[in-house]
Amino acid sequence: MSKDHNAQKTCWNCPALELRGHVDFRACGQSMRKFMTEGQAMAECKRRPELGLFDPASLTFEECPEWEEGPYGYQLRDMRVLILGIDGYLGWTLALWLGSLGFRVAGVDNFNRRRWVAEEGSHSVVPIAPMEERLRAAKEVLGIEISFREFDILDNEKLRQFIQEFQPEAIVHYAECPSAPYSMVDFQHAAYVQHNNVIGTLGLLFAMRDLAPEASLIKLGTMGEYGTPLTGRPIFEGIFPADAVLQWDGREWSLGGELTPRDPVSFYHVSKVQDTFNVYESCKYWWLRSYDVMQGVIYGVHTEQVAADPRLRTRFDVDEWFGTVINRFVAQAVVGIPLTIYGSGGQTRGFLALRDAMQCMTRLILSPPEPGQYDVVNQISGVYRVRELAETVARIAADEFGLEVEIQRLENPRVEADEHPYEVVYEKLPQQLGFEPQVTLEEEVYQMLKLLIQPSIRSRIEAIRQVILPKTRWSGLHKEMDVIERYKVRPRRVVGLGAEGGGEDDPER
Ligand code: USQ
C-alpha cells in the first residue's frame, strides 16, 4: 500500500508549525510572503523549539524526526486527533482505527444519534455498548486509551475548554445530523438539522481560530452537495480545475480555482453546503487549513478493530431515516422484506466501504493542507446505480446464504432524478494521497450478511420492521408509497466469496 504520499510535504503542512508575525491579507490564503520578514520565514516548531525561527519549506516530513514511517505514510508521532461525534457509525470506527495506529485520540459526543434513532422507534441492529463500556473494552482488548467528553458541540464554552486542554493537531468533524429524510419530516426537523449542523460547525471554526489555528480540520461534507447535474458535466472535486473555461456571449473566462456549483438534494444536504462556505471563508480569513470531504454513501460493518470484541462494534442503522441504501438492502434481505428501490432505481451515487473510508481519513489526517488552504476531496471508491446494488445484494443473499429475496420498486418518496448522467472525478485520494481501496462491494455485502443473519441480530431487525419501509416524502404528503413492481433476480454465483462461494455465472442470464 502506498506510503509515500506525504514524504515530500514540508513544515508548511505540519500542524506543529507555529506561524509568527502579523497576518494581514484580503484574498484567499496563497501568499506565504505575509509570514516573512525580509526573506526570513516567521515560523517556529511547537514540537522542536530548539529550531528557533526557520524556513518551513526547508524540511520535509521524511527528514523530520517527529514524522515516522507508518502504514499510510509518514505519521506525526503521537499525533493528537480530536473526533467530534465519536459515538457514531464513523466516529467510533475511526477512533479505534486511529488508536491502533498509535494516534492519541480524544472524542466528544452528546449521544444525539442514539436519541434521533430512538425517536422513530428504531435502534442500531448491531447492538452497541454504552460509552463507558466501549472505552473500557478499547483499553482492555486493543490497549487504546481514548479521552472522552460528553457535551453538545453547540455548547461553545465546553468545546473551547476541551480544545484548549487537548491541543488537537487534527480535528475530524463528524458531529452532524446525517439524515436527508430526517431533515424532510417537517419544519421543526429541517430547522433542527440546519441549526445543529451549521451553527455547530461555525462555533468550531471560531474556536479553532482562537485556540487551534494550526490544527487541520477534516470536515465531513457529502457528495450530495453537488446533486446530479443534468447536463452531465463532470462533478469536480469541489473546485474547478485550472483549465476549466466558461464561454458566454462570444467571450471566455477561466473558472480555475472557483468553487463548483452546489445543488443539494435535501435540507440536510443544504446544511452541508452552508458548512462548505463557512469553512471556505474561515480558511480565507484566518489561515485555517481544511479538507472538506465530499463523502459518498458509506456501507459496511467491518474493520479489524470493531470486529475484535462485541463491545467494540459500531452502530448499524437500517431504518428509513438513518439507514443508508446498501445497509438497508442487506437487512431487508435478511428478514424477507423485498428490497426497497425508490423510483426506477437509476439513481447513481458514489459509494465507499467503511474500512476504506477509514483509510482515506487516515491519509487526509497525515497530509494536512497548508495554512489557509481549503481543499476538497471526493471520497468514494466506486459508482453504482441503486438497482444494480439491489440486484447484487439479492444475488449474494440467495447464492451464499440461501435467502429468498424479492426486489420491489416503490414510488420515490424523494424529489430526485432517477435516471441521469453522473461523471464524478475522484482523483486526489488515489493519485495524490495513495488511497488504494481494499474492499469490494461484494465482499463487504457478504460480510454484512454473515453478521446480520445471526439470530440475535436478525431478531433486532425483525423488531424494527415497521420503520424500515419509507414514510417520509419530500412533498410532505402523508401516504404510504405505492408498489410499482416486484421481481426476483436469477441467482449468479459471485466468485470467491466465503467458503461456499465460487460457482459459475448462470449461463441463462
Ligand atoms: N434509496 C433507495 N432505497 C432505499 C434507500 C435509498 O432507492 O431504501 C436511494 C435514494 O433514493 C437515493 C440513494 O438510494 O437515491 C441513496 O440514498 P441513501 O439514503 O443511502 O443516502 P443519502 O440520503 O443520499 O444520504 C447518505 C447519508 C448522508 C451522506 C450521503 C452521501 O445518510 O449522510 O451525506 O449518503 S451522498 O448520497 O453521496 O450525498
Side-chain angles (χ1 to χ4, degrees), residues 176-418:
E176 296 202 339
C177 179
S179 165
Y182 189 78
S183 75
M184 300 302 297
V185 170
D186 53 22
F187 164 64
Q188 281 72 19
H189 284 79
Y192 171 79
V193 170
Q194 295 206 349
H195 180 81
N196 181 73
N197 294 359
V198 176
I199 305 305
T201 301
L202 194 61
L204 169 67
L205 294 167
F206 274 84
M208 288 185 70
R209 177 195 72 172
D210 298 340
L211 301 164
E214 290 89 13
S216 130
L217 171 64
I218 294 97
K219 160 73 179 56
L220 194 70
T222 164
M223 285 296 296
E225 287 187 34
Y226 303 124
T228 53
L230 290 178
T231 58
R233 73 149 166 80
I235 297 177
F236 298 106
E237 298 191 85
I239 295 167
F240 280 113
D243 54 355
V245 165
L246 173 70
Q247 285 186 336
W248 179 72
D249 197 24
R251 293 177 288 161
E252 70 175 44
W253 299 265
S254 168
L255 283 174
E258 290 197 28
L259 291 186
T260 61
R262 269 43 178 187
D263 186 10
V265 292
S266 71
F267 289 128
Y268 150 70
H269 290 91
V270 172
S271 75
K272 295 281 190 181
V273 173
Q274 171 81 49
D275 286 343
T276 281
F277 284 97
N278 287 341
V279 175
Y280 179 74
E281 294 305 315
S282 306
C283 293
K284 205 200 274 184
Y285 306 152
W286 307 324
W287 292 87
L288 299 189
R289 54 177 104 205
S290 180
Y291 281 116
D292 210 348
V293 180
M294 301 301 151
Q295 186 170 266
V297 188
I298 301 284
Y299 61 93
V301 73
H302 189 80
T303 64
E304 220 179 279
Q305 298 80 32
V306 300
D309 187 285
R311 294 167 299 164
L312 295 177
R313 282 280 178 199
T314 196
R315 61 177 311 120
F316 191 86
D317 295 298
V318 300
D319 58 274
E320 72 134 346
W321 283 353
F322 288 94
T324 50
V325 63
I326 304 180
N327 294 357
R328 281 168 55 73
F329 286 167
V330 170
Q332 291 165 359
V334 165
V335 296
I337 297 176
L339 312 192
T340 54
I341 290 179
Y342 299 164
S344 76
Q347 301 93 315
T348 311
R349 297 284 183 275
F351 290 85
L352 185 68
L354 181 63
R355 191 168 180 281
D356 283 339
M358 299 299 113
Q359 188 202 146
C360 289
M361 295 303 279
T362 310
R363 290 177 179 281
L364 294 170
I365 293 168
L366 293 180
S367 270
E370 294 189 354
Q373 190 183 355
Y374 168 82
D375 205 350
V376 187
V377 292
N378 288 348
Q379 183 162 294
I380 64 173
S381 66
V383 170
Y384 303 94
R385 284 196 168 82
V386 165
R387 61 172 169 265
E388 271 178 68
L389 295 170
E391 288 166 16
T392 302
V393 170
R395 283 208 176 89
I396 298 174
D399 289 355
E400 306 296 328
F401 298 89
L403 295 167
E404 279 273 316
V405 185
E406 261 194 308
I407 294 178
Q408 57 183 331
R409 288 204 301 109
L410 300 175
E411 210 189 332
N412 195 339
R414 305 184 180 200
V415 176
E416 61 183 0
D418 61 6

